[in-house]
Amino acid sequence: MKPATSPFGQPIDRVDGPLKVTGQAHYAAEFQVPGLLYGSVVNSCIARGRIVAIDASAAEAVPGVVLVLTHQNRPPIASYDEPYEDDDAAEGSPFRPLFNDRILYSGQPVALVVAENLELARYAASLVRVEYAREPHRTDLLSELQTMHKAPSELPPARGDVDAALRGAMLRLDLQYSTPVEHHNPMEPHASTVHYFPEGHLEIYDKTQGVQNCMRYLEKVFGLQGRIRVLSPFVGGAFGSGLRPQYQLPLAVMAALKLQRSVRVTLKRQQMFTFGYRPRTLQRISLGAAADGQLEALTHQAIGQTSTFEDFTEHEAEWSGMLYRCPNVRLDYQLVPLDVYTPLDMRAPGATVGVYALECAMDELAYAASVDPLALRLTNYAERNGNEDKPYSSKALRQCYEQGAERFGWSRRSMAPRSMRDGDQLIGWGMATGVWEAMQMPASAKACMEPNGRLVVSSATADIGTGTYTVMTQIAAAAMGLPLERVEFRLGDSNLSQAPLEGGSATVSSVGSAVQQACEGLRQKLLDAAQQSPVSPFTGARLDDVDFVDGQMRLKAAPAHSVEIEQIVAVSGALEAEASVEPGEKRNAYSTATHSAVFIEVRVDEALGTIKVSRAVSAVAAGRVVNPKTAGNQIVGGVVWGIGQALHEETLIDHSLGRYMNHNLSEYHVPVNADIGEIDVIFVEEKDEIVNALGSKGVGEIGIVGVAAAVANAIYHATGKRVRDLPITLDKLL
């Protein structure tokens, strides 16, 4: 009998797709519980100062309003006077909603109105009057550079004599780039539904990337150890906005505890701009090179904004020390504290902005050296990670360059700016390299073979739209030799096996490895059960002697000796195995990273300056790809966002008020279908037996890295004008 094709590596449709398109997938604000009350948040309209008085009388007089919660009447909170943090906390003192009368940033929650329905709550919230004592605020990064201090993150030590190498270099470039504040804006706004049980237990449906992180956070903050369960079966996008518990969660819990009722708090779209975001950055890159473009010296200083109460850090400058071969490198990262909320990880945090600056600088070096931009990158190709002085576990970046360039037609590119056109359209071709770390974190999973022959695998991870349900089902089905329809993967429940936050492109390598290992343990238990009979053909067989395929366990040496897995469990009863994995020691000797090459075509109207990205090719080396369809979706989404970063996205702040002005989806511009041309994704074959047991590196982040730089470089090639301040809008180009 010919065995069925393994689902591992196949472009399988999403197993949760039917639930989503038919409306059966419930999100945090859609779970119905008895006696539910609804909360609406009142936000501050000043950026710094104190609350003098809160007049809630008009709101409280509205029939159906149950409570107006403020810092003056909130319930006692166990750790509000003690330091606490969550799994994604920045260094400092985490923001504590309704802690006291201090205002730390514009948009800070100052009250929660709770009513019988959402419309009443929102109406009553508009009636709450807050009197403030304003204090001078600082929200402009450019105006506060004198206050910057070194970021607490550790940078690789400088190598070589950078200053001497810069002085002696034939080619010297000193370049500055800037990127704006960006907000996540996933499709689903943040919400928490707290189901209060009479004995004081809470069952909470939350929009989060880590149910166990939320559970631990609430246990510490409210002193409710062992009394909280957090569930998040479906998440409508997050991009990092769900890594930390956002303020609607503790506010909903406060109200539920005070009223001993179930409470839901949902944030409005405008309130999605009142917590974390991608920070504004200023970056300065100095390059020294030989006449042929070979790098001799590189410095990269990154300056980012943070809040006054936490030091948010990300990896912005490190990429410049590892992506290319250079003997003399110095990296620096500074933070400027402002009266704003703390920034937050946002898709490919640090790399998105750091690699943008580096890859634009490399394009400028290519023109200074009169060298093709792709050839320049091959000239400076790094076989080792210079920051760590380690070889890579695998690195198929050369193949990314080759396959991406061939698919794009890069060899037909003329070097000179403004040399390619189609009628009134200036044509520009640009490219850039992408890189992201291939991480693995400790994780656990449980696999249970039920008496009906159905395999249930579980872990407390999340699916933020990336396809976790699907790829974990594929990994388990492949490990057990079962058809997909006989496998169910469960996630999003803090009672399940331990899992890290879903972020950093590490879920498949972390949780997927645990799923595979749990299934290996289950295979052993099935073999043990099959050997209980003294006349079993499997007596004396080891696990390596059998195959699990087509729902059967078979002897490799005699495939005719087989038994249905369902029959084994029918006799033995349900069998289960749990496994915990962590990064293997063999990783320690290597650097692990995902790489890509991005090629972009833009069309710029010569008279109007309008920019259209007409073509994109992204060639990605990410190890073993579990599902090319869901992985390809991730890359396409990343490319779209990179185009948005280059041309559209920017949260604008009125510094006289310290308040964001375009806090809505009509004025916060993101790409729409009309902005996007053809996107071609190539997965370059890359075998890696070191990175993890699956050989998979993850693709969530790599899709966006390098895209903005490739767009900016293409615009220069089209127009001859170099814009170093994102986004590249009409006014800057004209």
Side-chain angles (χ1 to χ4, degrees):
M1 185 193 312
K2 183 179 179 181
T5 302
S6 170
F8 200 111
Q10 299 301 310
I12 304 297
D13 290 344
R14 293 172 185 261
V15 299
D16 53 326
L19 293 176
K20 289 183 174 179
V21 300
T22 58
Q24 297 178 72
H26 289 169
Y27 295 82
E30 297 181 319
F31 287 92
Q32 296 303 316
V33 299
L36 185 63
L37 298 172
Y38 297 80
S40 182
V41 179
V42 179
N43 301 88
S44 72
C45 60
I46 68 167
R48 182 181 173 88
R50 289 185 177 275
I51 298 171
V52 174
I54 298 178
D55 181 1
S57 57
E60 292 169 334
V62 174
V65 170
V66 179
L67 172 70
V68 178
L69 189 69
T70 70
H71 69 280
Q72 298 167 327
N73 66 341
R74 62 167 168 79
I77 297 175
S79 72
Y80 253 34
D81 295 314
E82 303 169 9
Y84 65 90
E85 60 181 29
D86 61 85
D87 291 355
D88 199 54
E91 290 202 16
S93 301
F95 173 70
R96 291 167 284 188
L98 306 189
F99 176 53
N100 57 21
D101 62 354
R102 288 292 312 169
I103 299 297
L104 303 175
Y105 71 98
S106 180
Q108 175 179 321
V110 295
L112 178 72
V113 177
V114 183
E116 295 291 344
N117 61 58
L118 180 60
E119 292 75 13
L120 272 177
R122 288 186 172 175
Y123 168 68
S126 71
L127 303 178
V128 175
R129 298 290 176 258
V130 184
E131 182 183 344
Y132 300 99
R134 295 174 183 263
E135 297 174 7
H137 62 263
R138 302 169 301 149
T139 56
D140 186 359
L141 176 68
L142 292 177
S143 301
E144 302 298 329
L145 294 178
Q146 72 279 1
T147 67
M148 69 182 180
H149 61 268
K150 196 166 186 62
S153 62
E154 289 188 17
L155 285 170
R159 57 182 187 261
D161 190 337
V162 179
D163 295 327
L166 279 173
R167 286 193 300 270
M170 181 71 70
L171 298 175
R172 292 189 297 275
L173 299 177
D174 188 17
L175 307 163
Q176 295 191 54
Y177 302 90
S178 63
T179 63
V181 167
E182 295 176 33
H183 277 84
H184 298 76
N185 278 304
M187 192 178 302
E188 178 198 11
H190 280 262
S192 301
T193 301
V194 179
H195 188 183
Y196 183 88
F197 289 88
E199 60 273 19
H201 287 264
L202 305 179
E203 193 168 270
I204 302 169
Y205 299 93
D206 189 53
K207 189 241 175 76
T208 178
Q209 292 173 248
V211 287
Q212 291 175 329
N213 179 35
C214 286
M215 178 192 70
R216 289 189 292 267
Y217 165 82
L218 293 174
E219 285 182 339
K220 286 185 288 187
V221 169
F222 292 97
L224 297 172
Q225 280 72 16
R227 294 163 59 190
I228 291 177
R229 182 185 183 189
V230 180
L231 301 111
S232 184
F234 295 98
V235 178
F239 313 116
S241 67
L243 290 172
R244 298 189 73 172
Q246 301 304 346
Y247 64 72
Q248 90 288 337
L249 177 61
L251 290 180
V253 172
M254 284 183 209
L257 293 175
K258 186 173 182 67
L259 295 170
Q260 298 186 11
R261 294 274 302 273
S262 297
V263 177
R264 172 181 296 157
V265 177
T266 306
L267 298 187
K268 296 181 287 188
R269 179 59 60 181
Q270 290 85 351
Q271 291 169 326
M272 295 293 290
F273 290 80
T274 59
F275 52 86
Y277 52 89
R278 196 191 303 281
R280 186 180 182 185
T281 71
L282 303 173
Q283 297 179 76
R284 182 175 180 177
I285 292 183
S286 297
L287 301 178
D292 64 353
Q294 175 64 61
L295 284 170
E296 295 174 347
L298 183 154
T299 71
H300 187 166
Q301 183 192 47
I303 302 171
Q305 71 179 54
T306 189
S307 68
T308 56
F309 47 92
E310 288 180 300
D311 276 350
F312 172 80
T313 60
E314 54 188 5
H315 298 295
E316 289 187 15
E318 286 92 325
W319 317 103
S320 293
M322 64 180 280
L323 199 47
Y324 298 108
R325 187 176 69 255
C326 185
N328 303 286
V329 175
R330 183 171 63 236
L331 309 174
D332 185 40
Y333 183 22
Q334 302 284 330
L335 296 177
V336 175
L338 300 173
D339 296 312
V340 294
Y341 192 73
T342 308
L344 181 62
D345 287 341
M346 188 171 182
R347 197 169 196 170
T352 309
V353 294
V355 173
Y356 154 71
L358 172 65
E359 287 302 283
C360 286
M362 290 296 287
D363 197 69
E364 299 203 42
L365 177 61
Y367 278 94
S370 299
V371 174
D372 176 82
L374 176 54
L376 179 83
R377 286 161 174 81
L378 291 169
T379 296
N380 291 285
Y381 193 87
E383 299 292 350
R384 299 171 68 87
N385 182 333
N387 290 339
E388 302 175 337
D389 193 23
K390 292 180 181 180
Y392 286 95
S393 60
S394 61
K395 185 180 180 182
L397 179 56
R398 285 188 190 276
Q399 291 81 357
C400 291
Y401 289 143
E402 293 166 3
Q403 295 179 33
E406 181 179 1
R407 184 77 61 89
F408 187 81
W410 185 261
S411 61
R412 301 193 304 273
R413 178 186 187 270
S414 60
M415 182 72 177
R418 301 182 71 92
S419 60
M420 297 171 64
R421 66 168 57 238
D422 180 8
D424 295 333
Q425 303 287 310
L426 298 171
I427 308 299
W429 287 6
M431 62 85 57
T433 308
V435 62
W436 182 254
E437 52 193 327
M439 296 183 287
Q440 183 182 2
M441 294 175 278
S444 301
K446 180 181 289 186
C448 178
M449 187 63 70
E450 298 182 336
N452 60 5
R454 186 170 182 80
L455 174 65
V456 176
V457 187
S458 59
S459 180
T461 186
D463 190 333
I464 58 175
T466 50
T468 306
Y469 275 113
T470 307
V471 296
M472 297 303 165
T473 302
Q474 288 177 258
I475 292 168
M480 297 304 301
L482 290 171
L484 289 171
E485 56 270 19
R486 284 177 56 184
V487 180
E488 178 186 356
F489 184 70
R490 296 175 182 170
L491 54 70
D493 183 342
S494 59
N495 285 351
L496 298 177
S497 302
Q498 180 270 329
L501 294 168
E502 173 154 294
S505 300
T507 299
V508 169
S509 60
S510 306
V511 179
S513 296
V515 166
Q516 187 178 62
Q517 193 160 316
C519 288
E520 289 175 4
L522 186 58
R523 290 203 305 260
Q524 182 64 59
K525 292 195 174 186
L526 285 165
L527 177 59
D528 293 343
Q531 291 174 333
Q532 293 304 306
S533 170
V535 295
S536 168
F538 298 98
T539 300
R542 297 172 303 169
L543 198 55
D544 290 342
D545 299 329
V546 298
D547 277 327
F548 288 80
V549 63
D550 293 336
Q552 298 178 335
M553 184 173 67
R554 300 175 187 167
L555 278 174
K556 292 179 180 178
H561 292 298
S562 65
V563 62
E564 295 286 340
I565 294 175
E566 191 172 348
Q567 292 179 4
I568 301 174
V569 187
V571 174
S572 67
L575 297 172
E576 68 177 37
E578 189 166 9
S580 297
V581 299
E582 56 186 25
E585 289 186 7
K586 61 183 179 180
R587 282 177 56 116
N588 296 337
Y590 296 88
S591 182
T592 57
T594 306
H595 292 89
S596 69
V598 185
F599 298 83
I600 293 287
E601 176 184 271
V602 299
R603 292 172 173 264
V604 182
D605 188 288
E606 191 170 18
L608 301 177
T610 55
I611 306 164
K612 166 80 174 180
V613 176
S614 48
R615 285 196 301 135
V617 173
S618 179
V620 180
R624 195 179 181 194
V625 177
V626 179
N627 186 324
K629 186 171 187 177
T630 55
N633 290 342
Q634 287 294 293
I635 302 301
V636 169
V639 171
V640 170
W641 196 340
I643 293 169
Q645 180 192 11
L647 303 178
H648 301 280
E649 290 200 47
E650 179 180 21
T651 315
L652 297 164
I653 193 166
D654 182 338
H655 294 299
S656 64
L657 299 173
R659 185 187 312 161
Y660 293 119
M661 298 182 289
N662 58 331
H663 57 302
N664 54 69
L665 289 185
S666 62
E667 295 172 299
Y668 182 89
H669 294 164
V670 296
V672 297
N673 284 349
D675 297 310
I676 304 300
E678 176 187 346
I679 299 176
D680 202 351
V681 178
I682 303 168
F683 285 115
V684 174
E685 185 175 346
E686 185 178 56
K687 188 174 183 180
D688 195 322
E689 297 179 347
I690 295 166
V691 66
N692 54 62
L694 294 171
S696 178
K697 294 182 175 181
V699 296
E701 261 75 21
I702 190 65
I704 189 176
V705 183
V707 177
V711 173
N713 295 338
I715 291 171
Y716 173 76
H717 181 237
T719 66
K721 181 166 185 179
R722 184 73 69 174
V723 180
R724 302 185 180 94
D725 176 33
L726 292 186
I728 302 174
T729 48
L730 286 174
D731 54 321
K732 297 172 187 174
L733 194 59
L734 290 173

